[in-house]
């Protein structure tokens, strides 16, 4: 785990990433709290907190006596939320750095197009 | 009570050491005496070796080392001081009872075989000429208990007050006994003291007075251990 | 949930030295606690008093709702593994047998498995064990005793990184299957920071911090950049430390920081670095003992929440 950020948020994010990239399909069972704790070598209570965060926002749901499952529609919902965060997380620092270096927005757009072509 | 028994049992976890030392040394001492007096031939008067005291001294030393080593270990494992103390008392008591019985039997064998065929008195008690078997048994057992308790008390003084405590205790003992000795010499009491000892029966010296000393010693040890830190 | 341990105004004075100074806290059942602090901070003394191996000068201590002193009901449910533990001259298997007799929850099979994991020679005399092997023996006793309240006081001395990782893994796995209250006193904060749920930080006999590990994470940030911008940012938290180089400053701040604060720092053109639990502890400890700015004392004593 990465330092300096609550671990339960990182656990929640890792599960979200697995759902986004399809590793965890909708209606599929997610690893148990204890499995997560053992795998990431973290306190089980912390792992549980991460899972519960996703239950609270509806990404996961609980089947009594069996475990946690990915809700149907979770992937689309996550994608929507991540798109909203994208600007703040990636575009804003990009613009800040560009301004520091004197790169104007038009030039920046051009750079993006060039890199997209190379890819 | 349960925990007291547990502590008593703990002492026998490494039983070869517990039994091996006292009996090994006693056996060694006995064999040396047997070989020595067997080779010398007839001695007059018949030899009394004093080799028996070796097992008592080993018990005293064993008590000191057991308490000093086991106290931090067993308290560290999570046992109360009371259970530790009573458990050790029980364990030493049981040893004293059993060892005295074995010594008693050996003394009987010694008598029956005419001092192992060479008139050797190794297990016979010199002071005790009475033929009361109970008193004779107690004369083996009670000194064990007294020495055991003495060992426990010394070890606990060390555990509670460290080296300074031991030095203070030794100094007090030297000043106390030395002072009494000087006083006795100065006032010319020695003949009277010698006479008093001579007047006492072997039973009183080996059983009665040791038993009287053992009780306060046990009480003092308990008070010391109550506030000792491992 | 009922507290397993409550400590109220606990003070311990040795000749002229105050080892613990009016310490108060409580431990909740079935959690892993990190008891952190520098050498001589009072951690060992605290655990000794909780296990009735040492005596308080004043204050109240209850364990499982009772006084621990001479109390078999409490003592039989606690296990205290300390670095300075001495053993009588006997074989390793004798020591384990003795521990199994004292602890009602002892699991012999688990002890056997741990002995294999740590490659501990069972037949060797404890007096002939290396420092690391002695530590392993303590860890085996602490884990296999499955005591509802288990203290590990610097249990890893002489252990290499592999053996320490075995300890952490076994502890976590066994804790998951058999939940119990564990107190880990350690210097190696980075190694255990993800295992512990709650942090108790002691410095010079005082309780500096009593907080959830997760709440602490990300609450201490280091920002650097133009002094004016740093000043602007640090206004929202308690400043713990600051260094200057010309017009540039670097400050460590504690506060309730969220994503918005990270954005704000970026907008101000500041470099931002989140502190690890270890850095946080170091900063809090030095902020108090060093020449801390006025007000730092008050903020470092207040609890996170």
């Amino acid at each position: 785990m990465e330092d300096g950020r609550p671990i339960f948020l990182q656990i929640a994010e890792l599960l979200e990433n697995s759902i986004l990239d399809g590793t965890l399909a909708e209606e599929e069972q997610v690893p148990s709290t204890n499995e997560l704790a053992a795998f990431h070598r973290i306190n089980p209570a912390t792992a549980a907190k991460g899972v519960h965060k996703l239950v609270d926002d509806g990404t996961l749901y609980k089947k009594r006596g069996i475990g946690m499952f990915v809700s149907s529609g979770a992937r689309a919902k996550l994608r929507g939320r991540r798109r909203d965060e994208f600007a703040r997380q990636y575009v804003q620092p990009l613009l800040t750095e560009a301004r520091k270096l004197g790169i104007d927005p038009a030039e920046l757009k051009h750079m993006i197009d060039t890199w997209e072509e190379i890819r | 009570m349960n925990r007291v028994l547990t502590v008593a049992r703990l002492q026998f976890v490494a039983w070869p050491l517990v039994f091996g030392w006292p009996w090994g040394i006693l056996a060694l001492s006995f064999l040396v005496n047997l070989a020595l007096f067997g080779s010398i031939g007839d001695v007059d008067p018949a030899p009394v070796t004093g080799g028996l005291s070796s097992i008592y001294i080993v018990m005293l030393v064993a008590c000191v080392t057991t308490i000093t080593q086991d106290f931090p270990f067993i308290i560290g494992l999570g046992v109360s001081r009371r259970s530790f103390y009573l458990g050790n008392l029980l364990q030493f008591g049981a040893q004293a009872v059993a060892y005295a019985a074995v010594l008693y039997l050996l003394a009987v064998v010694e008598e029956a075989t005419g001092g192992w065929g060479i008139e050797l008195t190794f297990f016979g008690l010199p002071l005790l000429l009475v033929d009361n078997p109970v008193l004779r048994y107690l004369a083996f057992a009670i000194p064990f208990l007294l020495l055991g308790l003495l060992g426990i008390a010394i070890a606990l003084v060390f555990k509670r007050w460290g080296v300074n405590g031991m030095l203070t205790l030794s100094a007090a003992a030297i000043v106390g006994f030395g002072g009494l000795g000087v006083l006795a010499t100065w006032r010319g009491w020695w003949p009277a003291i010698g006479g008093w000892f001579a007047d006492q029966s072997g039973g009183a010296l080996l059983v009665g007075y040791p038993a009287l000393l053992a009780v306060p010693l046990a009480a003092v040890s308990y008070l010391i251990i109550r506030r000792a830190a491992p | 949930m009922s507290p397993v341990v409550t400590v109220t105004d606990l003070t311990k004075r040795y000749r002229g030295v105050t080892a613990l100074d009016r310490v108060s806290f409580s431990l909740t059942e079935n959690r892993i606690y990190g008891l952190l602090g520098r050498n001589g901070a009072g951690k060992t003394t605290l655990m000794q008093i909780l296990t009735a191996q040492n005596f308080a000068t004043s204050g109240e201590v209850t364990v499982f709702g009772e006084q621990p002193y001479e109390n078999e009901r409490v003592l039989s449910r606690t296990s205290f593994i300390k670095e300075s533990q001495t053993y009588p001259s006997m074989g390793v298997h004798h020591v384990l047998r003795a521990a199994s007799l004292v602890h009602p929850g002892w699991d012999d099979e688990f002890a056997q498995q741990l002995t294999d994991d740590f490659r501990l020679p069972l037949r060797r005399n404890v007096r002939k064990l290396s420092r690391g092997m002695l530590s392993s023996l303590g860890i085996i006793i602490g884990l296999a005793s499955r005591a509802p309240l288990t203290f590990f006081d610097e249990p890893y001395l002489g252990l290499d990184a592999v053996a320490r990782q075995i300890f952490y893994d076994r502890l976590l796995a066994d804790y998951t299957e058999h939940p119990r209250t564990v107190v880990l006193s350690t210097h190696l904060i980075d190694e255990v920071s993800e295992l512990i749920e709650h942090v108790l930080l002691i410095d010079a006999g005082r309780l500096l911090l009593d907080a959830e590990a997760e709440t602490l994470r990300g609450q201490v940030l280091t920002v650097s950049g133009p002094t004016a911008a740093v000043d602007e940012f640090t206004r929202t938290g308690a400043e713990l430390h600051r260094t200057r180089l010309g017009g540039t400053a670097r400050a460590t701040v504690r506060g309730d920081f969220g994503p918005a604060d990270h954005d704000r720092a970026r907008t101000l053109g500041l470099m931002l670095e989140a502190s690890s639990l270890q850095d946080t502890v170091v900063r809090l400890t030095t902020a108090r003992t060093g020449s801390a700015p006025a007000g730092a004392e008050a903020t470092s004593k207040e609890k996170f929440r």
Side-chain angles (χ1 to χ4, degrees):
Chain A
M1 294 283 112
E2 153 203 349
D3 241 341
R5 228 151 48 88
I7 292 165
F8 81 94
L9 289 179
Q10 300 183 49
I11 289 292
E13 251 172 49
L14 282 170
L15 287 171
E16 282 178 2
N17 288 344
S18 298
I19 295 168
L20 278 170
D21 65 20
T23 319
L24 272 174
E26 289 178 0
E27 296 303 331
E28 194 185 327
Q29 185 168 6
V30 295
S32 74
T33 300
N34 290 347
E35 286 169 337
L36 286 170
F39 184 79
H40 296 289
R41 289 175 165 159
I42 57 171
N43 190 298
T46 313
K49 206 173 160 192
V51 171
H52 281 130
K53 181 181 179 287
L54 296 185
V55 173
D56 286 346
D57 68 18
T59 310
L60 304 179
Y61 71 96
K62 190 177 185 171
K63 273 191 196 168
R64 214 160 275 287
I66 305 175
M68 301 294 180
F69 289 78
V70 181
S71 311
S72 49
R75 195 173 171 194
K77 229 172 79 185
L78 279 176
R79 192 178 280 204
R81 190 168 2 120
R82 285 284 180 96
R83 272 166 181 265
D84 294 342
E85 283 169 15
F86 181 79
R88 185 182 65 77
Q89 247 183 330
Y90 297 97
V91 180
Q92 195 215 17
L94 184 73
L95 286 172
T96 311
E97 184 69 12
R99 200 176 305 127
K100 207 192 285 176
L101 301 176
I103 302 170
D104 63 47
E107 211 176 339
L108 194 59
K109 276 176 203 142
H110 179 69
M111 276 169 133
I112 291 171
D113 290 342
T114 319
W115 277 94
E116 187 61 33
E117 268 163 42
I118 292 171
R119 238 187 65 170
Chain B
M1 195 56 212
N2 206 357
R3 302 285 276 183
V4 174
L5 288 177
T6 304
V7 172
R9 273 181 72 194
L10 282 180
Q11 300 298 335
F12 294 110
V13 159
W15 61 268
L17 292 172
V18 175
F19 298 119
W21 277 109
W23 291 102
I25 287 179
L26 185 70
L28 195 68
S29 164
F30 175 65
L31 290 176
V32 166
N33 276 291
L34 208 58
L36 192 68
F37 290 104
S39 65
I40 292 173
D42 278 352
V43 188
D44 199 51
V48 174
T49 65
L52 179 62
S53 60
S54 69
I55 195 169
Y56 288 90
I57 291 169
V58 170
M59 278 293 280
L60 172 76
V61 174
C63 278
V64 174
T65 51
T66 308
I67 296 293
T68 45
Q69 292 188 8
D70 284 9
F71 182 65
F73 174 53
I74 292 177
I75 298 295
L77 280 178
V79 171
S80 73
R81 291 160 179 80
R82 184 182 53 246
S83 297
F84 175 76
Y85 181 68
L86 294 178
N88 271 296
L89 225 52
L90 185 68
Q91 182 265 138
F92 281 124
Q95 275 192 64
V97 166
Y99 289 9
V102 174
L103 292 178
Y104 184 94
L105 282 179
L106 286 169
V108 168
V109 171
E110 185 172 81
E111 266 172 32
T113 57
W116 314 100
I118 54 163
E119 307 240 327
L120 179 73
T121 304
F122 187 85
F123 296 104
L125 292 167
L127 279 169
L128 206 64
L129 304 167
V130 284
D131 277 323
N132 180 343
V134 174
L135 208 55
R136 195 172 171 191
Y137 171 74
L138 287 177
F140 281 113
I142 298 295
F144 260 132
L145 278 180
L146 178 65
L147 286 174
L149 283 167
L150 191 64
I152 293 175
I154 291 171
L156 287 176
V157 167
F158 176 66
K159 278 285 114 181
R160 173 127 179 223
W161 291 290
V163 177
N164 285 336
M166 292 303 287
L167 291 176
T168 310
L169 186 69
S170 321
I174 290 166
V175 169
F177 285 112
L180 285 176
V182 169
L183 191 68
T185 308
W186 177 49
R187 307 287 286 185
W189 286 346
W190 285 118
I193 292 171
W196 181 85
F197 270 102
D199 282 348
Q200 303 299 312
S201 70
L205 285 181
L206 284 175
V207 179
Y209 292 114
L212 274 180
L213 272 175
V215 173
L217 209 50
V220 167
S221 294
Y222 185 60
L223 291 180
I224 296 175
I225 201 173
R226 293 277 296 175
R227 299 292 291 178
Chain C
M1 266 183 278
S2 56
V4 169
V5 170
T6 54
V7 173
T8 319
D9 276 335
L10 179 64
T11 297
K12 172 70 179 178
R13 268 183 227 105
Y14 296 102
R15 257 163 261 165
V17 183
T18 305
L20 293 171
D21 190 3
R22 281 169 290 130
V23 170
S24 299
F25 63 88
S26 64
L27 303 184
T28 311
E29 200 176 33
N30 298 343
R31 301 173 98 187
I32 302 181
Y33 286 85
L35 180 57
L36 313 176
R38 303 175 63 182
N39 276 332
K43 305 186 298 275
T44 301
T45 305
L46 175 63
M47 290 184 281
Q48 281 173 334
I49 293 173
L50 288 174
T51 51
Q53 298 191 12
N54 207 332
F55 306 97
T57 306
S58 65
E60 285 281 323
V61 164
T62 64
V63 180
F64 300 116
E66 301 180 43
Q67 293 275 359
Y69 177 62
E70 292 294 82
N71 188 336
E72 295 291 1
R73 272 188 309 280
V74 169
L75 296 178
S76 64
R77 285 194 276 166
T78 53
S79 180
F80 177 23
I81 303 306
K82 53 184 173 299
E83 174 245 306
S84 61
Q85 182 65 58
T86 59
Y87 299 93
S89 176
M90 51 165 74
V92 169
H93 61 296
H94 290 140
V95 171
L96 292 175
R97 175 98 187 96
S100 76
L101 289 175
V102 170
H103 295 292
W106 184 269
D107 184 332
D108 234 356
E109 215 172 292
F110 188 34
Q112 184 59 54
Q113 183 208 319
L114 289 167
T115 316
D116 293 344
D117 289 343
F118 284 106
R119 299 180 186 168
L120 196 62
L122 274 177
R123 296 276 146 189
R124 194 175 297 179
N125 190 305
V126 266
R127 297 283 175 100
K128 299 216 167 72
L129 294 183
S130 68
R131 184 59 251 180
M133 287 174 172
L134 271 180
S135 294
S136 308
L137 178 59
I139 286 170
I140 293 169
I141 294 174
L143 288 176
S145 63
R146 294 236 172 92
L149 177 58
T150 305
F151 296 92
F152 286 105
D153 186 10
E154 311 276 354
Y156 46 68
L157 218 74
L159 286 186
D160 55 43
V162 177
R164 291 203 301 273
Q165 196 56 56
I166 294 176
F167 168 49
Y168 302 137
D169 286 350
R170 297 298 177 276
L171 170 68
L172 195 59
D174 202 58
Y175 165 81
T176 309
E177 269 189 52
H178 304 271
R180 51 202 192 255
T181 309
V182 177
V183 177
L184 261 178
S185 159
T186 179
H187 287 125
L188 304 176
I189 302 171
D190 274 343
E191 292 192 357
V192 300
S193 71
E194 296 178 0
L195 298 184
I196 57 187
E197 202 180 332
H198 198 98
V199 174
L200 294 167
L201 174 61
I202 294 194
D203 190 48
R206 294 200 174 191
L207 189 66
L208 275 194
L209 195 67
D210 177 356
E212 296 292 315
E214 284 286 79
T215 332
L216 270 179
R217 260 180 262 276
Q219 292 221 328
V220 174
L221 298 175
T222 298
V223 286
S224 46
T227 308
V230 169
D231 285 343
E232 165 77 26
F233 187 84
T234 54
R235 223 170 284 152
T236 52
E239 190 170 319
L240 299 173
H241 181 77
R242 183 186 281 237
T243 48
R244 255 179 222 96
L245 179 66
T248 311
R250 184 170 65 225
T252 307
V253 214
R254 208 184 89 189
D256 219 343
F257 299 118
D261 296 284
H262 289 236
D263 292 347
R264 195 162 54 87
R266 263 185 234 116
T267 322
L268 285 167
L270 291 172
M271 288 262 289
L272 190 109
E273 216 183 312
S275 292
S276 67
L277 193 60
Q278 170 143 316
D279 292 341
T280 304
V281 163
V282 169
R283 280 290 165 242
L284 287 177
T285 316
T286 44
R288 189 177 165 272
T289 44
S291 51
E297 171 111 7
T299 47
S300 56
K301 256 194 285 183
E302 129 226 294
K303 291 179 184 177
F304 281 95
R305 264 294 103 176

